[in-house]
Amino acid sequence: MKKTLLIFLFLWAPIHMLFAQRDTEHWFAPMAARSPKVVTPMQALYFSTDSATPFTVDIYSNNTVLGTVTISKGSPQTFNIPLNRMVATINGELFTVGNKGLYTKGSKPYFVTYRFSVSQHGEILTSKGKAGIGTKFYAVTAPIEELNSEYNFTAGILATEDNTIVTVSNYSPNVVFTNGWTGATNPTLTFTLNKGQSYIIEGIGDKTVNKEAFIGAKIEADKPISVTNGNFNGQFAMAAGGSYQGSDIIMDQSVPVDRLGNEFVVVKGNGDISRNMEDALIVATEGGTQVYINNATTPAATLAEGESYRVNKINNTNYINQGNNHYNMYIRTTKNVYVYQLMAGVGASNATLGFNYIPPLNCYLPRKIDEIGKIKDLPYSTTLSGHIVKLNILTEAGAVVTVNGAQLPASQGPYQVTGTPNWVSYSVPDISGDVTINSTKAVTAGISGGSGVVGYGGYFAGFSSIPVIAKQNGECIPGIVLEVDDSFDTYQWYKENNPIPGATNHSYTPTQSGNYTVKITVGSCPPVITPVYKVYTCLKKTIINDTVCDGVKQIVPTFSSSIQTVVPGTVTIITAPTNGNAVIDPVTGVISYAPAYNYIGPDKIVYKFCGNNPDFTDCEEVTLNLTVSESPIVNDALIRTCFLEANPATGLFNLTNVSVTLATGITKKYYPSLADAHAGTNEILTPNNYIAPNGVVYIKVINANGCYRVAMVTLVVLAPVKSDVLTDKIICMEGKTTLDAGPGFKSYEWSTGATTQTIKNVGVGVYWVKLKTGECVTTQTVKVYASEQPVITNIDISNNTVTVNVAGGTLPYKYSMDNINWQDSNVFTNISRGNATIYVKDDYNCEPIQVNITIPNLINVITPNNDGVNDAIDYSSLAVKNNLVINIFDRYGSKIFQADKTNGYKWNGTADGSKRVPTGNYWYEIGWNEPNAKQTPIKFTGWIMVKNRE
């Protein structure tokens, strides 16, 4: 049956569902149809997930919500799509910015396919998640082998962000577009799209120049886009007898060049190899790309940038039968390329065609595909008959593979792949329902579906050689959870290229905005780092309750949690106050609020502001609930208190007794400074027991609404009042005196118990008196000292003259030797030999001190001739004195003899006790201490003549 697209049949060849790329967002770019008449097909989105927890997914077109579904594991859902949301049917919808295309968004990762069919035709387009959006693509369409005005090539481009600039180039200069443009006159197409807007390119298949003219066209954008390419109606397969007849939709969703690779395995579907119904189309992205098939050592082709090569067009033996009619083909290139499988449905009809993007082989394919929902269903499947779905699986050699938990029989694989020992393939001939594929190693899977009139296909995994991060939950911080496939060996998450300690699981919950990546390893493969995932902070909504006191309030926008700096120009008022006026200072961003005149009560302002990080801007919306209130009336005050005896400069104040307001229902707080009072710092916590010097304190008077005023309290410490006339006195030890505190005091209290102004007959001692002035009492201490008595330091006796030396006491001194007659001189002459007494007193005229002395007899001549007369001087009678020493000196002052206890205090005129000294005059000195309490030192001097007779 010739499929001329009298109907809008859709069964998109590839069904690309990738566990590693399952995501919370999916994009479907639109396409152009070419048909003389329209029979509306059924169109629907098919959703499935591995999440056991149900969640909702929103479906958008041109940023407008079309509807919502709720999905969970084992419960896939469908959502019908209007035809005009995906397909352009008139020329006016081409080569212009349009609103076609779909975008879906959920709170958890999921899979989604766009399926459409009529009674005998169908197609599937499977979203590849983030692996399907990027900034650089090369368009791939099937070659048009039969000229027909109902055939076309088409490419749809859908923007994922605003202000996206797209440039299309590198197509044939001979191409003729549907609107009449040619490649020669329009070598590039440039346009700008906003998020959700699309642009559709088309060329009609009735011109020989359009056969392969758009294959390899370069599509570049400055922001991520989604691309759909192929032929809404086309023909590449030869019918029986060598002619081309019949047609089908040959469409697929493309992937950006950074998802490509250079090693592929293609497993044959259900078509006839001999009539080019099963083939592979290769498109190079770089010049000098060599292509090798199976185990060949010679390249089958060398391609330039954008050039294509059809593997089986000339040699249809490149598919190798590995047994049981299981065919596969190994493709290796020297640079990254696109590989698309050209395929067909069941039977000999060449009108059941499909177009299947083949993912490259790599270590980082997932180890499970969970789950493919309703794998065999199409919107019109109840009217289709005889169609089957063949499941082809690729996995690394040595892996254990299960489908829905059961291992596959040997007849279904594994089958070797000629050219590589590292990969094997499986085929499950007919499958339906919900499908989960598990492998102990990297795995990818595709389907070849159809019947004699329906042909379609698709791959379910492997759209990226490097895994990408998906959102497991949420949209932004807080709440967003990131993840990659859980089938890798190790994980390390990074923020701004810095490893996050402890973040070594397949999922991670960010707490800060920024650029996130994850390094993963599996087996012996080298580590890889995923592309950056940008995480943003949600708009934070904060509620603040505050009070307006005394007029204008300055509101400073401040983040409650972000560390960014508020940009003043971003401050905006969302909801203005109803009972006042709010104005933003454009320089500082401060909001000034003034309530209406005499207004007291509630008001509200809602304002928003943002931070200064240009890449990850934090914003916050604040709902400010205001209470407009009056402040309490206060008055300043003064408080006095008596000094503290321990520190007379300070006093003990009870601040709670100070009256500073008449207002009721208030709270008082006490502070040492005005700044503290306003800031609420350094509060005085014991105001009823506050010790301070002269100065001020501040009382903060706060009403129930939190409004306050501050009163100043002056602190006065009443200083001690002392008597000016009460002073210390000095009296004789045995004397008495009178102490007078002076007049003018309220009361007196002496340490003696007296309560009079004066106390009499007090002797030496320390006294105190408590003097009361007003309510303060000053304790004053007074001392009565005993006068210092003089001390006789020593007495010198020379012959009959006595000299008294005195220290201490108070000058002048008086001297006496009878305690009756007193003289001012310390020298007494003509004193008789024998015992005498010296008296001394100072100016206080107290009892005199006295010292008893002895005036020795004077011996002036000795004749040491042993005749018993004057043979020696003898002072042994002074032996009763303490420390008695007698020293003899010659006329030169040299000591020649000492008389002491050892020689009886005698000198017989010898120098050493045996040698006589020459006749002459000698000096002597006698010293002792009088045996009294003071041990008064006495010195007696004189001369003696020694006459030696031989």
Side-chain angles (χ1 to χ4, degrees):
M1 174 181 179
K2 182 176 182 180
K3 289 202 260 182
T4 58
L5 263 293
L6 305 176
I7 44 177
F8 283 89
L9 60 98
F10 287 67
L11 176 36
W12 278 43
I15 187 169
H16 297 297
M17 300 174 66
L18 172 59
F19 181 81
Q21 271 79 42
R22 81 200 200 293
D23 209 337
T24 55
E25 297 180 0
H26 295 269
W27 302 82
F28 294 93
M31 64 207 79
R34 185 58 44 188
S35 177
K37 60 175 95 172
V38 174
V39 178
T40 303
M42 291 287 291
Q43 303 177 91
L45 292 176
Y46 281 64
F47 297 90
S48 62
T49 182
D50 62 341
S51 172
T53 302
F55 63 94
T56 60
V57 179
D58 295 324
I59 299 98
Y60 296 83
S61 180
N62 193 32
N63 303 313
T64 299
V65 177
L66 299 180
T68 301
V69 295
T70 300
I71 60 174
S72 61
K73 183 174 174 62
S75 183
Q77 300 295 322
T78 61
F79 183 85
N80 292 332
I81 299 296
L83 176 68
N84 63 359
R85 291 297 85 215
M86 279 293 290
V87 181
T89 59
I90 59 175
N91 291 349
E93 297 175 317
L94 309 177
F95 300 97
T96 187
V97 175
N99 59 12
K100 298 185 186 299
L102 299 174
Y103 162 60
T104 68
K105 183 177 182 181
S107 58
K108 294 177 181 293
Y110 59 95
F111 312 109
V112 59
T113 60
Y114 175 70
R115 310 185 192 186
F116 44 102
S117 64
V118 292
S119 60
Q120 294 183 345
H121 305 286
E123 198 67 286
I124 299 175
L125 177 64
T126 305
S127 171
K128 299 170 176 66
K130 279 193 176 60
I133 63 173
T135 57
K136 185 176 181 181
F137 299 76
Y138 285 83
V140 183
T141 66
I144 302 172
E145 298 293 352
E146 178 186 22
L147 297 182
N148 192 311
S149 62
E150 296 179 7
Y151 298 167
N152 73 349
F153 65 80
T154 181
I157 298 155
L158 180 64
T160 66
E161 297 182 25
D162 289 342
N163 298 314
T164 300
I165 300 173
V166 182
T167 301
V168 184
S169 62
N170 201 50
Y171 41 78
S172 170
N174 299 318
V175 69
V176 178
F177 294 111
T178 302
N179 63 351
W181 292 348
T182 67
T185 57
N186 296 83
T188 61
L189 304 177
T190 301
F191 45 89
T192 301
L193 303 175
N194 286 329
K195 179 180 179 181
Q197 291 182 332
S198 58
Y199 191 93
I200 303 173
I201 299 169
E202 187 197 38
I204 302 175
D206 60 352
K207 299 174 179 62
T208 303
V209 293
N210 283 350
K211 176 181 178 180
E212 300 180 4
F214 200 67
I215 299 176
K218 183 162 45 177
I219 303 172
E220 295 178 290
D222 63 345
K223 296 177 183 178
I225 57 175
S226 176
V227 174
T228 297
N229 52 201
N231 315 79
F232 192 84
N233 194 19
Q235 175 56 263
F236 59 77
M238 184 185 299
S243 64
Y244 294 93
Q245 56 182 331
S247 61
D248 205 347
I249 302 171
I250 309 165
M251 296 291 294
D252 197 358
Q253 186 182 67
S254 185
V255 296
V257 295
D258 56 4
R259 306 295 188 205
L260 302 179
N262 66 347
E263 187 179 16
F264 309 84
V265 173
V266 183
V267 181
K268 175 186 170 299
N270 297 311
D272 188 343
I273 294 175
S274 65
R275 291 203 297 272
N276 302 115
M277 294 170 66
E278 293 283 345
D279 205 344
L281 182 64
I282 300 171
V283 175
T285 62
E286 298 182 59
T289 300
Q290 294 179 318
V291 178
Y292 295 87
I293 308 301
N294 295 318
N295 57 356
T297 58
T298 301
T302 300
L303 306 178
E305 178 189 5
E307 187 176 1
S308 65
Y309 174 71
R310 188 170 172 182
V311 176
N312 286 333
K313 181 67 181 294
I314 298 175
N315 182 0
N316 59 13
T317 64
N318 286 317
Y319 271 112
I320 298 177
N321 187 350
Q322 303 292 353
N324 295 326
N325 287 322
H326 180 94
Y327 289 83
N328 58 36
M329 175 172 51
Y330 175 65
I331 298 173
R332 178 176 60 85
T333 60
T334 55
K335 298 179 182 180
N336 290 352
V337 298
Y338 287 90
V339 174
Y340 281 75
Q341 184 179 14
L342 304 175
M343 54 193 303
V346 178
S349 171
N350 70 337
T352 58
L353 306 177
F355 199 44
N356 199 10
Y357 168 78
I358 303 298
L361 303 175
N362 66 86
C363 292
Y364 290 96
L365 290 171
R367 297 181 183 181
K368 65 179 179 180
I369 304 168
D370 183 16
E371 80 184 350
I372 308 168
K374 303 181 180 180
I375 194 170
K376 193 175 181 178
D377 287 9
L378 294 173
Y380 271 125
S381 62
T382 56
T383 63
L384 296 174
S385 61
H387 71 290
I388 64 170
V389 172
K390 178 184 179 182
L391 177 64
N392 294 324
I393 300 171
L394 292 174
T395 188
E396 291 181 281
V400 176
V401 178
T402 61
V403 176
N404 289 340
Q407 283 191 250
L408 300 177
S411 61
Q412 296 178 6
Y415 293 98
Q416 67 178 6
V417 177
T418 301
T420 175
N422 300 323
W423 295 86
V424 295
S425 60
Y426 293 77
S427 288
V428 180
D430 191 7
I431 194 166
S432 62
D434 302 336
V435 176
T436 295
I437 303 167
N438 283 279
S439 175
T440 56
K441 296 187 179 182
V443 68
T444 183
I447 63 169
S448 174
S451 63
V453 293
V454 178
Y456 55 93
Y459 258 82
F460 305 125
F463 302 123
S464 172
S465 59
I466 299 176
V468 293
I469 298 172
K471 291 180 292 187
Q472 184 187 95
N473 278 309
E475 294 296 325
C476 46
I477 297 172
I480 188 171
V481 179
L482 305 180
E483 71 166 7
V484 291
D485 180 19
D486 63 357
S487 61
F488 302 116
D489 292 341
T490 66
Y491 307 84
Q492 175 59 64
W493 290 83
Y494 291 79
K495 179 180 180 293
E496 313 298 349
N497 297 320
N498 296 313
I500 303 171
T504 56
N505 296 319
H506 81 284
S507 63
Y508 177 70
T509 302
T511 58
Q512 295 179 335
S513 60
N515 295 305
Y516 285 84
T517 55
V518 58
K519 179 190 287 186
I520 57 177
T521 63
V522 62
S524 60
C525 300
V528 296
I529 297 178
T530 65
V532 168
Y533 192 103
K534 292 183 178 295
V535 174
Y536 299 92
T537 301
C538 304
L539 172 64
K540 184 165 187 178
K541 294 189 176 182
T542 306
I543 298 176
I544 298 176
N545 298 317
D546 205 351
T547 302
V548 180
C549 308
D550 299 325
V552 176
K553 182 176 184 64
Q554 301 296 312
I555 303 165
V556 181
T558 304
F559 282 111
S560 59
S561 57
S562 173
I563 61 174
Q564 294 182 19
T565 300
V566 174
V567 177
T570 66
V571 180
T572 57
I573 295 176
I574 298 174
T575 302
T578 57
N579 295 294
N581 185 44
V583 178
I584 301 172
D585 186 324
V587 176
T588 64
V590 174
I591 302 172
S592 297
Y593 169 80
Y597 180 71
N598 280 341
Y599 176 73
I600 300 296
D603 208 349
K604 182 173 75 171
I605 306 173
V606 180
Y607 59 94
K608 178 184 174 183
F609 53 91
C610 297
N612 63 335
N613 187 319
D615 297 319
F616 300 96
T617 305
D618 291 343
C619 296
E620 189 162 346
E621 181 181 292
V622 177
T623 298
L624 180 60
N625 296 316
L626 296 172
T627 299
V628 181
S629 173
E630 294 179 322
S631 297
I633 297 174
V634 300
N635 56 271
D636 293 341
L638 181 146
I639 183 173
R640 296 180 175 86
T641 191
C642 298
F643 68 92
L644 294 175
E645 287 194 14
N647 184 359
T650 64
L652 178 64
F653 295 91
N654 186 347
L655 303 178
T656 61
N657 290 336
V658 182
S659 177
V660 294
T661 184
L662 298 176
T664 60
I666 52 90
T667 300
K668 294 180 182 178
K669 294 189 175 183
Y670 305 83
Y671 298 92
S673 72
L674 183 60
D676 284 328
H678 286 301
T681 56
N682 300 316
E683 181 182 356
I684 298 170
L685 300 178
T686 55
N688 60 337
N689 190 28
Y690 183 61
I691 297 175
N694 289 328
V696 293
V697 294
Y698 297 86
I699 300 178
K700 188 175 186 178
V701 182
I702 311 164
N703 65 18
N705 290 325
C707 294
Y708 70 89
R709 284 198 175 102
V710 178
M712 183 179 72
V713 178
T714 301
L715 305 179
V716 176
V717 178
L718 299 174
V721 179
K722 293 188 176 183
S723 169
D724 294 332
V725 299
L726 183 63
T727 58
D728 293 345
K729 288 188 174 184
I730 300 175
I731 64 173
C732 295
M733 178 61 73
E734 69 280 4
K736 300 290 181 180
T737 188
T738 297
L739 297 178
D740 186 354
F745 295 99
K746 188 174 181 181
S747 65
Y748 304 85
E749 180 184 346
W750 291 89
S751 55
T752 62
T755 57
T756 56
Q757 176 182 326
T758 62
I759 56 175
K760 298 179 180 179
N761 297 319
V762 293
V764 173
V766 178
Y767 304 87
W768 53 258
V769 60
K770 292 184 177 181
L771 306 172
K772 189 171 185 179
T773 306
E775 295 302 319
C776 299
V777 175
T778 301
T779 300
Q780 186 171 344
T781 299
V782 62
K783 295 179 181 179
V784 178
Y785 296 96
S787 64
E788 181 184 0
Q789 287 188 313
V791 175
I792 298 174
T793 57
N794 63 286
I795 298 174
D796 294 334
I797 303 172
S798 178
N799 292 325
N800 59 353
T801 298
V802 176
T803 302
V804 182
N805 296 305
V806 180
T810 301
L811 297 173
Y813 302 123
K814 295 290 186 180
Y815 304 90
S816 174
M817 292 193 72
D818 59 7
N819 200 20
I820 296 173
N821 299 302
W822 296 88
Q823 65 181 44
D824 294 332
S825 174
N826 65 333
V827 178
F828 296 91
T829 58
N830 300 317
I831 304 303
S832 302
R833 306 295 176 183
N835 294 324
T837 302
I838 303 296
Y839 299 90
V840 177
K841 60 182 178 181
D842 66 1
D843 192 52
Y844 278 97
N845 198 29
C846 297
E847 286 292 322
I849 59 173
Q850 65 184 49
V851 175
N852 296 320
I853 62 173
T854 298
I855 301 173
N857 289 328
L858 179 64
I859 300 173
N860 294 114
V861 179
I862 60 173
T863 56
N865 55 5
N866 295 321
D867 61 358
V869 179
N870 293 330
D871 286 332
I873 58 174
D874 182 358
Y875 285 104
S876 59
S877 61
L878 295 175
V880 297
K881 306 296 186 180
N882 295 333
N883 302 320
L884 176 64
V885 175
I886 303 168
N887 293 315
I888 307 298
F889 303 90
D890 63 15
R891 61 179 179 173
Y892 302 107
S894 296
K895 181 178 176 180
I896 61 174
F897 188 81
Q898 177 175 306
D900 53 27
K901 185 177 181 180
T902 60
N903 49 34
Y905 304 103
K906 299 175 182 179
W907 181 52
N908 61 359
T910 62
D912 55 4
S914 59
K915 182 179 179 180
R916 294 182 184 276
V917 298
T919 297
N921 290 329
Y922 294 86
W923 297 95
Y924 62 89
E925 179 184 87
I926 305 173
W928 70 88
N929 292 95
E930 286 292 342
N932 54 31
K934 299 294 185 179
Q935 293 287 301
T936 305
I938 305 295
K939 184 171 71 173
F940 177 72
T941 60
W943 59 270
I944 187 171
M945 176 178 285
V946 177
K947 293 182 178 181
N948 282 314
R949 297 177 181 176
E950 300 297 333

